[in-house]
Amino acid sequence: MPTAAQLFAAYFQVGISGFGGANAWARYVVVEKRGWLTDAEYAARLGLGQVLPGPNAMNCAIIIGHEFAGVPGAIAAVTGMFAGPLSLLCGLAALYDRYGELQPVRGALAGVAAGAAGMMLGTALKLARRSKPTWPMWAVLAAALGASLCGVSIGWILLVLGPIGILTARMERP
């Protein structure tokens, strides 16, 4: 069981390494590097974090931190996750204020955004491959993606497809 200090250190690493893509790094640190959770356990906590209000990476850090070290663990995980990036962000904001109109700066920011999108997609594919979803679960995913691309709000997607996904998963469980 990690301590609050270990949770702070791990999530500090997540925050510094995963700027713009914290879920990918959090999964790597918590599952692959530290072995605190399995892929399935991490996916369950991330799923819960996604349906709660607020940023899902923060919600997941709170859930994991609290699970291992109670309230101090939750506070340590969230503080660790945001301490480094907040410091970097303040420095970057000052630099952007001064040099943000320059074309090389705009190009660099576009590259960082593409990298973050790739990390999110890679994490989603890793989780999907390891959880081995069945065709009915893929159908729920396709419906959610289609609805999202058609401009349906996330609230309606969750309201309609959430219960269908839960029922599908329960029916498929051995």
PDB file of all heavy atoms in Angstrom, residues 104-136:
ATOM      1  N   PRO A 104       6.948  30.227 -34.964  1.00  0.00           N
ATOM      2  CA  PRO A 104       7.520  28.998 -34.388  1.00  0.00           C
ATOM      3  C   PRO A 104       6.847  28.576 -33.079  1.00  0.00           C
ATOM      4  O   PRO A 104       6.698  27.386 -32.805  1.00  0.00           O
ATOM      5  CB  PRO A 104       8.992  29.363 -34.150  1.00  0.00           C
ATOM      6  CG  PRO A 104       9.278  30.475 -35.098  1.00  0.00           C
ATOM      7  CD  PRO A 104       7.979  31.232 -35.219  1.00  0.00           C
ATOM      8  N   VAL A 105       6.423  29.536 -32.297  1.00  0.00           N
ATOM      9  CA  VAL A 105       5.728  29.222 -31.045  1.00  0.00           C
ATOM     10  C   VAL A 105       4.379  28.594 -31.351  1.00  0.00           C
ATOM     11  O   VAL A 105       3.991  27.587 -30.740  1.00  0.00           O
ATOM     12  CB  VAL A 105       5.574  30.485 -30.169  1.00  0.00           C
ATOM     13  CG1 VAL A 105       4.712  30.204 -28.953  1.00  0.00           C
ATOM     14  CG2 VAL A 105       6.946  31.010 -29.753  1.00  0.00           C
ATOM     15  N   ARG A 106       3.669  29.133 -32.312  1.00  0.00           N
ATOM     16  CA  ARG A 106       2.369  28.562 -32.702  1.00  0.00           C
ATOM     17  C   ARG A 106       2.531  27.137 -33.231  1.00  0.00           C
ATOM     18  O   ARG A 106       1.747  26.252 -32.930  1.00  0.00           O
ATOM     19  CB  ARG A 106       1.687  29.442 -33.735  1.00  0.00           C
ATOM     20  CG  ARG A 106       1.192  30.745 -33.154  1.00  0.00           C
ATOM     21  CD  ARG A 106       0.558  31.610 -34.249  1.00  0.00           C
ATOM     22  NE  ARG A 106       0.102  32.836 -33.684  1.00  0.00           N
ATOM     23  CZ  ARG A 106      -1.176  33.154 -33.550  1.00  0.00           C
ATOM     24  NH1 ARG A 106      -2.100  32.321 -33.962  1.00  0.00           N
ATOM     25  NH2 ARG A 106      -1.522  34.296 -33.013  1.00  0.00           N
ATOM     26  N   GLY A 107       3.581  26.915 -34.021  1.00  0.00           N
ATOM     27  CA  GLY A 107       3.840  25.577 -34.550  1.00  0.00           C
ATOM     28  C   GLY A 107       4.168  24.584 -33.449  1.00  0.00           C
ATOM     29  O   GLY A 107       3.712  23.432 -33.473  1.00  0.00           O
ATOM     30  N   ALA A 108       4.966  25.013 -32.484  1.00  0.00           N
ATOM     31  CA  ALA A 108       5.312  24.139 -31.367  1.00  0.00           C
ATOM     32  C   ALA A 108       4.072  23.751 -30.570  1.00  0.00           C
ATOM     33  O   ALA A 108       3.902  22.592 -30.178  1.00  0.00           O
ATOM     34  CB  ALA A 108       6.339  24.821 -30.460  1.00  0.00           C
ATOM     35  N   LEU A 109       3.184  24.694 -30.335  1.00  0.00           N
ATOM     36  CA  LEU A 109       1.954  24.399 -29.590  1.00  0.00           C
ATOM     37  C   LEU A 109       1.055  23.433 -30.347  1.00  0.00           C
ATOM     38  O   LEU A 109       0.427  22.558 -29.746  1.00  0.00           O
ATOM     39  CB  LEU A 109       1.217  25.696 -29.255  1.00  0.00           C
ATOM     40  CG  LEU A 109       1.903  26.585 -28.226  1.00  0.00           C
ATOM     41  CD1 LEU A 109       1.130  27.886 -28.048  1.00  0.00           C
ATOM     42  CD2 LEU A 109       2.053  25.875 -26.897  1.00  0.00           C
ATOM     43  N   ALA A 110       1.005  23.563 -31.667  1.00  0.00           N
ATOM     44  CA  ALA A 110       0.214  22.626 -32.471  1.00  0.00           C
ATOM     45  C   ALA A 110       0.805  21.220 -32.367  1.00  0.00           C
ATOM     46  O   ALA A 110       0.066  20.236 -32.270  1.00  0.00           O
ATOM     47  CB  ALA A 110       0.167  23.083 -33.928  1.00  0.00           C
ATOM     48  N   GLY A 111       2.120  21.112 -32.358  1.00  0.00           N
ATOM     49  CA  GLY A 111       2.765  19.808 -32.212  1.00  0.00           C
ATOM     50  C   GLY A 111       2.498  19.178 -30.862  1.00  0.00           C
ATOM     51  O   GLY A 111       2.258  17.973 -30.763  1.00  0.00           O
ATOM     52  N   VAL A 112       2.531  19.974 -29.808  1.00  0.00           N
ATOM     53  CA  VAL A 112       2.249  19.468 -28.467  1.00  0.00           C
ATOM     54  C   VAL A 112       0.800  18.967 -28.390  1.00  0.00           C
ATOM     55  O   VAL A 112       0.521  17.911 -27.805  1.00  0.00           O
ATOM     56  CB  VAL A 112       2.524  20.557 -27.405  1.00  0.00           C
ATOM     57  CG1 VAL A 112       1.971  20.169 -26.049  1.00  0.00           C
ATOM     58  CG2 VAL A 112       4.021  20.831 -27.312  1.00  0.00           C
ATOM     59  N   ALA A 113      -0.123  19.692 -28.993  1.00  0.00           N
ATOM     60  CA  ALA A 113      -1.528  19.275 -28.985  1.00  0.00           C
ATOM     61  C   ALA A 113      -1.699  17.946 -29.716  1.00  0.00           C
ATOM     62  O   ALA A 113      -2.435  17.060 -29.253  1.00  0.00           O
ATOM     63  CB  ALA A 113      -2.403  20.350 -29.618  1.00  0.00           C
ATOM     64  N   ALA A 114      -1.010  17.767 -30.832  1.00  0.00           N
ATOM     65  CA  ALA A 114      -1.098  16.504 -31.571  1.00  0.00           C
ATOM     66  C   ALA A 114      -0.522  15.358 -30.745  1.00  0.00           C
ATOM     67  O   ALA A 114      -1.081  14.252 -30.723  1.00  0.00           O
ATOM     68  CB  ALA A 114      -0.361  16.629 -32.903  1.00  0.00           C
ATOM     69  N   GLY A 115       0.574  15.606 -30.057  1.00  0.00           N
ATOM     70  CA  GLY A 115       1.170  14.575 -29.204  1.00  0.00           C
ATOM     71  C   GLY A 115       0.243  14.160 -28.072  1.00  0.00           C
ATOM     72  O   GLY A 115       0.115  12.975 -27.763  1.00  0.00           O
ATOM     73  N   ALA A 116      -0.410  15.130 -27.456  1.00  0.00           N
ATOM     74  CA  ALA A 116      -1.348  14.827 -26.369  1.00  0.00           C
ATOM     75  C   ALA A 116      -2.525  14.004 -26.878  1.00  0.00           C
ATOM     76  O   ALA A 116      -2.956  13.048 -26.224  1.00  0.00           O
ATOM     77  CB  ALA A 116      -1.834  16.115 -25.718  1.00  0.00           C
ATOM     78  N   ALA A 117      -3.035  14.345 -28.057  1.00  0.00           N
ATOM     79  CA  ALA A 117      -4.138  13.576 -28.633  1.00  0.00           C
ATOM     80  C   ALA A 117      -3.698  12.145 -28.927  1.00  0.00           C
ATOM     81  O   ALA A 117      -4.440  11.185 -28.681  1.00  0.00           O
ATOM     82  CB  ALA A 117      -4.641  14.255 -29.906  1.00  0.00           C
ATOM     83  N   GLY A 118      -2.492  11.975 -29.409  1.00  0.00           N
ATOM     84  CA  GLY A 118      -1.967  10.640 -29.679  1.00  0.00           C
ATOM     85  C   GLY A 118      -1.815   9.814 -28.419  1.00  0.00           C
ATOM     86  O   GLY A 118      -2.103   8.608 -28.411  1.00  0.00           O
ATOM     87  N   MET A 119      -1.363  10.454 -27.328  1.00  0.00           N
ATOM     88  CA  MET A 119      -1.229   9.734 -26.060  1.00  0.00           C
ATOM     89  C   MET A 119      -2.585   9.264 -25.562  1.00  0.00           C
ATOM     90  O   MET A 119      -2.718   8.141 -25.061  1.00  0.00           O
ATOM     91  CB  MET A 119      -0.573  10.622 -25.003  1.00  0.00           C
ATOM     92  CG  MET A 119       0.912  10.760 -25.193  1.00  0.00           C
ATOM     93  SD  MET A 119       1.833  11.646 -23.906  1.00  0.00           S
ATOM     94  CE  MET A 119       0.660  12.343 -22.832  1.00  0.00           C
ATOM     95  N   MET A 120      -3.598  10.106 -25.681  1.00  0.00           N
ATOM     96  CA  MET A 120      -4.929   9.711 -25.226  1.00  0.00           C
ATOM     97  C   MET A 120      -5.449   8.533 -26.056  1.00  0.00           C
ATOM     98  O   MET A 120      -6.008   7.579 -25.510  1.00  0.00           O
ATOM     99  CB  MET A 120      -5.893  10.900 -25.314  1.00  0.00           C
ATOM    100  CG  MET A 120      -5.633  11.946 -24.263  1.00  0.00           C
ATOM    101  SD  MET A 120      -6.607  13.460 -24.400  1.00  0.00           S
ATOM    102  CE  MET A 120      -8.161  12.944 -24.991  1.00  0.00           C
ATOM    103  N   LEU A 121      -5.262   8.601 -27.363  1.00  0.00           N
ATOM    104  CA  LEU A 121      -5.713   7.518 -28.229  1.00  0.00           C
ATOM    105  C   LEU A 121      -4.956   6.229 -27.924  1.00  0.00           C
ATOM    106  O   LEU A 121      -5.556   5.154 -27.851  1.00  0.00           O
ATOM    107  CB  LEU A 121      -5.537   7.911 -29.703  1.00  0.00           C
ATOM    108  CG  LEU A 121      -5.980   6.896 -30.738  1.00  0.00           C
ATOM    109  CD1 LEU A 121      -7.462   6.567 -30.567  1.00  0.00           C
ATOM    110  CD2 LEU A 121      -5.712   7.428 -32.136  1.00  0.00           C
ATOM    111  N   GLY A 122      -3.656   6.324 -27.704  1.00  0.00           N
ATOM    112  CA  GLY A 122      -2.856   5.144 -27.378  1.00  0.00           C
ATOM    113  C   GLY A 122      -3.307   4.484 -26.088  1.00  0.00           C
ATOM    114  O   GLY A 122      -3.387   3.254 -25.994  1.00  0.00           O
ATOM    115  N   THR A 123      -3.613   5.287 -25.076  1.00  0.00           N
ATOM    116  CA  THR A 123      -4.090   4.742 -23.805  1.00  0.00           C
ATOM    117  C   THR A 123      -5.434   4.055 -23.983  1.00  0.00           C
ATOM    118  O   THR A 123      -5.659   2.962 -23.455  1.00  0.00           O
ATOM    119  CB  THR A 123      -4.195   5.857 -22.751  1.00  0.00           C
ATOM    120  OG1 THR A 123      -2.887   6.377 -22.512  1.00  0.00           O
ATOM    121  CG2 THR A 123      -4.768   5.335 -21.442  1.00  0.00           C
ATOM    122  N   ALA A 124      -6.320   4.671 -24.737  1.00  0.00           N
ATOM    123  CA  ALA A 124      -7.633   4.068 -24.982  1.00  0.00           C
ATOM    124  C   ALA A 124      -7.475   2.722 -25.700  1.00  0.00           C
ATOM    125  O   ALA A 124      -8.141   1.738 -25.345  1.00  0.00           O
ATOM    126  CB  ALA A 124      -8.504   5.015 -25.801  1.00  0.00           C
ATOM    127  N   LEU A 125      -6.581   2.655 -26.675  1.00  0.00           N
ATOM    128  CA  LEU A 125      -6.382   1.407 -27.401  1.00  0.00           C
ATOM    129  C   LEU A 125      -5.764   0.329 -26.516  1.00  0.00           C
ATOM    130  O   LEU A 125      -6.148  -0.841 -26.598  1.00  0.00           O
ATOM    131  CB  LEU A 125      -5.515   1.648 -28.642  1.00  0.00           C
ATOM    132  CG  LEU A 125      -6.176   2.478 -29.746  1.00  0.00           C
ATOM    133  CD1 LEU A 125      -5.180   2.803 -30.855  1.00  0.00           C
ATOM    134  CD2 LEU A 125      -7.397   1.773 -30.304  1.00  0.00           C
ATOM    135  N   LYS A 126      -4.810   0.702 -25.647  1.00  0.00           N
ATOM    136  CA  LYS A 126      -4.219  -0.271 -24.718  1.00  0.00           C
ATOM    137  C   LYS A 126      -5.276  -0.841 -23.778  1.00  0.00           C
ATOM    138  O   LYS A 126      -5.342  -2.044 -23.547  1.00  0.00           O
ATOM    139  CB  LYS A 126      -3.123   0.386 -23.872  1.00  0.00           C
ATOM    140  CG  LYS A 126      -1.745   0.246 -24.420  1.00  0.00           C
ATOM    141  CD  LYS A 126      -0.741   0.752 -23.398  1.00  0.00           C
ATOM    142  CE  LYS A 126       0.663   0.581 -23.905  1.00  0.00           C
ATOM    143  NZ  LYS A 126       1.652   1.071 -22.951  1.00  0.00           N
ATOM    144  N   LEU A 127      -6.105   0.051 -23.217  1.00  0.00           N
ATOM    145  CA  LEU A 127      -7.144  -0.414 -22.298  1.00  0.00           C
ATOM    146  C   LEU A 127      -8.147  -1.307 -23.018  1.00  0.00           C
ATOM    147  O   LEU A 127      -8.584  -2.328 -22.480  1.00  0.00           O
ATOM    148  CB  LEU A 127      -7.849   0.775 -21.642  1.00  0.00           C
ATOM    149  CG  LEU A 127      -7.051   1.516 -20.577  1.00  0.00           C
ATOM    150  CD1 LEU A 127      -7.774   2.786 -20.158  1.00  0.00           C
ATOM    151  CD2 LEU A 127      -6.803   0.633 -19.374  1.00  0.00           C
ATOM    152  N   ALA A 128      -8.521  -0.933 -24.243  1.00  0.00           N
ATOM    153  CA  ALA A 128      -9.485  -1.732 -24.995  1.00  0.00           C
ATOM    154  C   ALA A 128      -8.909  -3.103 -25.330  1.00  0.00           C
ATOM    155  O   ALA A 128      -9.582  -4.127 -25.191  1.00  0.00           O
ATOM    156  CB  ALA A 128      -9.887  -0.999 -26.267  1.00  0.00           C
ATOM    157  N   ARG A 129      -7.652  -3.149 -25.745  1.00  0.00           N
ATOM    158  CA  ARG A 129      -7.026  -4.415 -26.120  1.00  0.00           C
ATOM    159  C   ARG A 129      -6.936  -5.348 -24.914  1.00  0.00           C
ATOM    160  O   ARG A 129      -7.210  -6.543 -25.017  1.00  0.00           O
ATOM    161  CB  ARG A 129      -5.649  -4.160 -26.712  1.00  0.00           C
ATOM    162  CG  ARG A 129      -4.994  -5.422 -27.256  1.00  0.00           C
ATOM    163  CD  ARG A 129      -3.644  -5.180 -27.894  1.00  0.00           C
ATOM    164  NE  ARG A 129      -2.683  -4.782 -26.884  1.00  0.00           N
ATOM    165  CZ  ARG A 129      -1.947  -3.671 -26.938  1.00  0.00           C
ATOM    166  NH1 ARG A 129      -2.066  -2.851 -27.948  1.00  0.00           N
ATOM    167  NH2 ARG A 129      -1.085  -3.382 -25.976  1.00  0.00           N
ATOM    168  N   ARG A 130      -6.573  -4.804 -23.768  1.00  0.00           N
ATOM    169  CA  ARG A 130      -6.390  -5.654 -22.585  1.00  0.00           C
ATOM    170  C   ARG A 130      -7.703  -6.051 -21.926  1.00  0.00           C
ATOM    171  O   ARG A 130      -7.776  -7.068 -21.249  1.00  0.00           O
ATOM    172  CB  ARG A 130      -5.486  -4.952 -21.586  1.00  0.00           C
ATOM    173  CG  ARG A 130      -4.068  -4.883 -22.110  1.00  0.00           C
ATOM    174  CD  ARG A 130      -3.131  -4.291 -21.119  1.00  0.00           C
ATOM    175  NE  ARG A 130      -1.782  -4.280 -21.679  1.00  0.00           N
ATOM    176  CZ  ARG A 130      -0.809  -3.547 -21.212  1.00  0.00           C
ATOM    177  NH1 ARG A 130      -0.995  -2.777 -20.162  1.00  0.00           N
ATOM    178  NH2 ARG A 130       0.376  -3.578 -21.772  1.00  0.00           N
ATOM    179  N   SER A 131      -8.751  -5.243 -22.096  1.00  0.00           N
ATOM    180  CA  SER A 131     -10.028  -5.600 -21.471  1.00  0.00           C
ATOM    181  C   SER A 131     -10.860  -6.520 -22.357  1.00  0.00           C
ATOM    182  O   SER A 131     -11.870  -7.041 -21.921  1.00  0.00           O
ATOM    183  CB  SER A 131     -10.825  -4.338 -21.125  1.00  0.00           C
ATOM    184  OG  SER A 131     -11.200  -3.652 -22.307  1.00  0.00           O
ATOM    185  N   LYS A 132     -10.446  -6.708 -23.594  1.00  0.00           N
ATOM    186  CA  LYS A 132     -11.097  -7.623 -24.532  1.00  0.00           C
ATOM    187  C   LYS A 132     -12.609  -7.413 -24.609  1.00  0.00           C
ATOM    188  O   LYS A 132     -13.390  -8.307 -24.281  1.00  0.00           O
ATOM    189  CB  LYS A 132     -10.765  -9.061 -24.167  1.00  0.00           C
ATOM    190  CG  LYS A 132      -9.290  -9.384 -24.251  1.00  0.00           C
ATOM    191  CD  LYS A 132      -9.024 -10.811 -23.822  1.00  0.00           C
ATOM    192  CE  LYS A 132      -7.584 -11.178 -23.977  1.00  0.00           C
ATOM    193  NZ  LYS A 132      -6.638 -10.640 -23.087  1.00  0.00           N
ATOM    194  N   PRO A 133     -13.047  -6.238 -25.071  1.00  0.00           N
ATOM    195  CA  PRO A 133     -14.489  -6.002 -25.166  1.00  0.00           C
ATOM    196  C   PRO A 133     -15.139  -6.906 -26.214  1.00  0.00           C
ATOM    197  O   PRO A 133     -14.516  -7.266 -27.207  1.00  0.00           O
ATOM    198  CB  PRO A 133     -14.586  -4.523 -25.569  1.00  0.00           C
ATOM    199  CG  PRO A 133     -13.253  -4.162 -26.126  1.00  0.00           C
ATOM    200  CD  PRO A 133     -12.254  -5.101 -25.520  1.00  0.00           C
ATOM    201  N   THR A 134     -16.384  -7.236 -25.973  1.00  0.00           N
ATOM    202  CA  THR A 134     -17.148  -8.079 -26.899  1.00  0.00           C
ATOM    203  C   THR A 134     -17.831  -7.183 -27.934  1.00  0.00           C
ATOM    204  O   THR A 134     -17.844  -5.954 -27.817  1.00  0.00           O
ATOM    205  CB  THR A 134     -18.201  -8.886 -26.133  1.00  0.00           C
ATOM    206  OG1 THR A 134     -19.079  -7.956 -25.487  1.00  0.00           O
ATOM    207  CG2 THR A 134     -17.555  -9.798 -25.100  1.00  0.00           C
ATOM    208  N   TRP A 135     -18.435  -7.809 -28.913  1.00  0.00           N
ATOM    209  CA  TRP A 135     -19.097  -7.029 -29.967  1.00  0.00           C
ATOM    210  C   TRP A 135     -20.200  -6.123 -29.440  1.00  0.00           C
ATOM    211  O   TRP A 135     -20.323  -4.977 -29.896  1.00  0.00           O
ATOM    212  CB  TRP A 135     -19.613  -7.954 -31.077  1.00  0.00           C
ATOM    213  CG  TRP A 135     -18.471  -8.467 -31.910  1.00  0.00           C
ATOM    214  CD1 TRP A 135     -17.975  -9.739 -31.928  1.00  0.00           C
ATOM    215  CD2 TRP A 135     -17.634  -7.702 -32.775  1.00  0.00           C
ATOM    216  NE1 TRP A 135     -16.876  -9.819 -32.757  1.00  0.00           N
ATOM    217  CE2 TRP A 135     -16.652  -8.563 -33.303  1.00  0.00           C
ATOM    218  CE3 TRP A 135     -17.605  -6.368 -33.164  1.00  0.00           C
ATOM    219  CZ2 TRP A 135     -15.671  -8.152 -34.186  1.00  0.00           C
ATOM    220  CZ3 TRP A 135     -16.621  -5.960 -34.056  1.00  0.00           C
ATOM    221  CH2 TRP A 135     -15.671  -6.833 -34.547  1.00  0.00           C
ATOM    222  N   PRO A 136     -21.030  -6.560 -28.480  1.00  0.00           N
ATOM    223  CA  PRO A 136     -22.035  -5.628 -27.950  1.00  0.00           C
ATOM    224  C   PRO A 136     -21.406  -4.388 -27.292  1.00  0.00           C
ATOM    225  O   PRO A 136     -21.921  -3.276 -27.419  1.00  0.00           O
ATOM    226  CB  PRO A 136     -22.813  -6.463 -26.923  1.00  0.00           C
ATOM    227  CG  PRO A 136     -22.654  -7.866 -27.401  1.00  0.00           C
ATOM    228  CD  PRO A 136     -21.275  -7.927 -27.990  1.00  0.00           C
TER     229      PRO A 136
END
